[in-house]
Amino acid sequence: MSNRWVESFIAAFWALLAGGIIYFGNGEHDLIRTLLYNPFLHRRFLQASLAGACMNAAIYVYAHLWKEQVCGVQDVTHKISWVVPVGAFTFATSLVCMIVGLWPVFSFFAPVMVVLLLYGLVMGLSLLGGSAQQGVKRD
């Protein structure tokens, strides 16, 4: 089996694990219904987490889709110096806000669930491909 197939299998495993967490939750509370109907969640923190995720999506669209694909800029993270620090800050803030928001219901499972969800999301997105997997040459 080639290395690319192994990487795809691992990425699909993590993405399916994240889907299982969304569907089953911690076994007692599923995540979707909890987010929609549970009154004990910290809604402001979850809204801040959603805002951070939207900011990260906007940074991704600007840097990698617009600048790299449309404008033809190579190595966006080096040419646009603010992309990595702002993306890392919004990601970390979103992660912490989501953990705090889910803590009243899931308690100690909240950090584990959030980390597995985000890792599954990232690995699932890696299945879509992109310039990093096309072998961009570095000088």
Side-chain angles (χ1 to χ4, degrees):
M1 235 164 59
S2 72
N3 193 25
R4 177 70 184 134
W5 283 101
V6 172
E7 290 173 6
S8 297
F9 177 75
I10 292 171
F13 167 77
W14 285 106
L16 287 173
L17 182 66
I21 289 174
I22 290 171
Y23 186 76
F24 295 111
N26 65 350
E28 190 175 325
H29 305 286
D30 67 300
L31 192 60
I32 301 275
R33 213 168 306 171
T34 300
L35 287 173
L36 291 175
Y37 302 117
N38 197 314
F40 299 114
L41 295 174
H42 294 298
R43 297 276 178 209
R44 296 285 182 215
F45 283 102
L46 291 173
Q47 291 166 352
S49 176
L50 181 63
C54 289
M55 178 68 83
N56 266 342
I59 290 170
Y60 175 79
V61 167
Y62 172 73
H64 294 286
L65 296 181
W66 177 254
K67 284 295 195 178
E68 195 173 277
Q69 301 296 326
V70 176
C71 297
V73 175
Q74 295 293 325
D75 203 11
V76 175
T77 56
H78 285 90
K79 298 262 167 96
I80 307 171
S81 61
W82 60 268
V83 168
V84 173
V86 172
F89 176 76
T90 56
F91 176 77
T93 306
S94 181
L95 179 83
V96 170
C97 286
M98 186 178 283
I99 291 171
V100 171
L102 293 175
W103 188 269
V105 175
F106 294 110
S107 67
F108 290 104
F109 286 118
V112 174
M113 288 175 64
V114 169
V115 167
L116 288 176
L117 281 170
L118 292 175
Y119 193 70
L121 175 69
V122 169
M123 294 302 283
L125 289 175
S126 75
L127 289 172
L128 299 177
S131 64
Q133 295 176 354
Q134 294 173 359
V136 174
K137 291 185 177 182
R138 304 234 182 224
D139 293 329

